[in-house]
Amino acid sequence: MTKITAIIPTGNEIHNIEAVIASVNFADEILVVDSFSTDGTYDVAKKLATKVIRREYEYSASQKNWAIPQAKHEWILLVDADERVTPELKAEILNTLENPKDVAYWIGRMNHFMGERVHYSGWRNDKVIRLFKRDLCVYEDKHVHAEIKVNGSIGKLEHKFYHNTYITFDKYLEKMNRYAWWQAKDYDKKQEN
């Protein structure tokens, strides 16, 4: 059976950490990458995960690209703290890894906004590459919305992550402001080249 490392990036995710780790309990290694949380996330992760490493947070792609090579196993399942692997997705991942035909897989997300399912807008068909071979994939060096660059073929899983982002309106505004700043930095970098 193909072994898998689940990578979970965290930063003050005390309200998510137990549930996200429980949702990947089928992984052979659970690697939490903590950004020096101050709310107890690190302590809880130390008790539940296989391994917890810490690094100051710059931006998402940088953090993930630093973490991926540290995974013990060839196959990576990258799960954000506000996402959950459903039982159906778990079964499909395990089945896919019995005989993988691609080097990476798109996984859709059932998005929720402050606890309510989003049925329309651009969030309805949201998908991300999150199941992939460690040595054949790397995130684009972008501050916002970086996709994985894949050296090989990409498949698509049928089942989706449960994704409950933005638990309060204040958190939503805070993230939108941060992303606007980072997008401007990406744009400036692009214009320089």
Side-chain angles (χ1 to χ4, degrees):
M1 180 65 179
T2 303
K3 294 198 169 185
I4 185 170
T5 294
I7 296 178
I8 305 169
T10 61
N12 290 329
E13 294 287 352
I14 194 66
H15 57 288
N16 278 320
I17 192 64
E18 288 185 42
V20 69
I21 289 175
S23 82
V24 297
N25 66 3
F26 60 94
D28 301 284
E29 177 186 39
I30 300 173
L31 174 60
V32 173
V33 183
D34 185 65
S35 304
F36 292 95
S37 294
T38 57
D39 65 351
T41 300
Y42 176 77
D43 298 321
V44 172
K46 286 285 282 181
K47 293 177 190 166
L48 302 175
T50 311
K51 183 177 178 183
V52 181
I53 53 180
R54 296 180 110 177
R55 179 180 187 248
E56 199 66 48
Y57 187 84
E58 293 178 81
Y59 53 95
S60 180
S62 169
Q63 197 77 341
K64 291 172 181 176
N65 282 335
W66 177 80
I68 290 166
Q70 300 190 54
K72 183 177 180 181
H73 303 297
E74 177 184 31
W75 278 94
I76 305 293
L77 174 64
L78 202 144
V79 183
D80 285 342
D82 60 0
E83 296 169 338
R84 305 291 178 266
V85 176
T86 64
E88 297 82 9
L89 179 56
K90 169 188 169 180
E92 186 177 9
I93 289 168
L94 293 174
N95 185 54
T96 299
L97 291 182
E98 284 181 15
N99 185 23
K101 294 177 177 35
D102 300 288
V103 301
Y105 293 88
W106 289 101
I107 302 176
R109 294 195 288 190
M110 294 178 286
N111 289 302
H112 293 71
F113 183 84
M114 293 190 281
E116 295 294 323
R117 175 85 188 265
V118 178
H119 293 283
Y120 305 99
S121 80
W123 282 5
R124 183 176 182 180
N125 298 316
D126 181 29
K127 65 185 190 307
V128 285
I129 296 173
R130 291 293 187 72
L131 179 64
F132 55 90
K133 278 190 160 182
R134 177 191 58 212
D135 302 329
L136 296 175
C137 301
V138 65
Y139 277 89
E140 301 170 295
D141 187 26
K142 288 173 55 179
H143 286 80
V144 182
H145 305 304
E147 286 292 347
I148 289 183
K149 294 186 287 186
V150 178
N151 185 8
S153 59
I154 306 172
K156 183 177 185 297
L157 300 185
E158 294 301 314
H159 294 93
K160 299 179 177 186
F161 284 119
Y162 174 90
H163 184 216
N164 190 23
T165 189
Y166 310 122
I167 54 173
T168 68
F169 198 72
D170 287 343
K171 291 288 181 193
Y172 169 72
L173 290 177
E174 179 185 309
K175 188 172 184 179
M176 289 300 101
N177 286 332
R178 186 172 62 245
Y179 272 38
W181 170 251
W182 283 342
Q183 241 173 335
K185 287 180 78 163
D186 284 340
Y187 180 77
D188 284 346
K189 187 176 173 183
K190 194 171 158 183
Q191 295 306 309
E192 291 170 3
N193 296 331

